[in-house]
């Protein structure tokens, strides 16, 4: 856990800050964890996913409590 860097992403996070996350991560993977339940559905994580697609970073949804929500996240 000492090698993990955590960043806060919320409705006030600027697009440039999200871009900087991808630049700073280099070849390391990024993860998205939500305190609101489901990442990118009920929080601003969708913006991170949008930038992942722009940077040609593969997005892999992980199994959650609902297969319907998982399918929505993967779409």
């Amino acid at each position: 856990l000492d090698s993990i860097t955590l960043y806060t992403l919320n409705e006030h996070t600027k697009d440039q800050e999200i871009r900087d996350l991808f630049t700073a991560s280099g070849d390391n993977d990024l993860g998205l964890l939500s305190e609101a339940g489901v990442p990118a559905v009920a929080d601003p994580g969708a913006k991170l996913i949008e930038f992942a697609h722009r940077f040609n970073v593969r997005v892999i949804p992980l199994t959650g409590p609902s297969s319907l929500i998982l399918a929505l996240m993967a779409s």
Side-chain angles (χ1 to χ4, degrees):
L1 290 176
D2 291 337
S3 65
I4 295 176
T5 304
L6 300 175
Y7 300 94
T8 300
L9 175 68
N10 59 40
E11 67 273 8
H12 305 293
T13 305
K14 307 273 189 270
D15 286 358
Q16 183 61 47
E17 294 175 86
I18 297 173
R19 243 183 246 114
D20 292 345
L21 289 175
F22 286 94
T23 304
S25 70
D27 290 334
N28 295 315
D29 294 332
L30 292 173
L32 175 61
L33 176 68
S34 175
E35 66 179 27
V38 180
V41 173
D43 65 24
K47 196 62 130 167
L48 183 72
I49 302 304
E50 177 186 331
F51 276 94
H53 289 289
R54 286 187 193 177
F55 280 84
N56 201 28
V57 173
R58 189 170 65 155
V59 176
I60 303 169
L62 300 175
T63 304
S66 166
S67 60
L68 179 61
I69 294 299
L70 178 62
L72 179 63
M73 288 168 47
S75 70

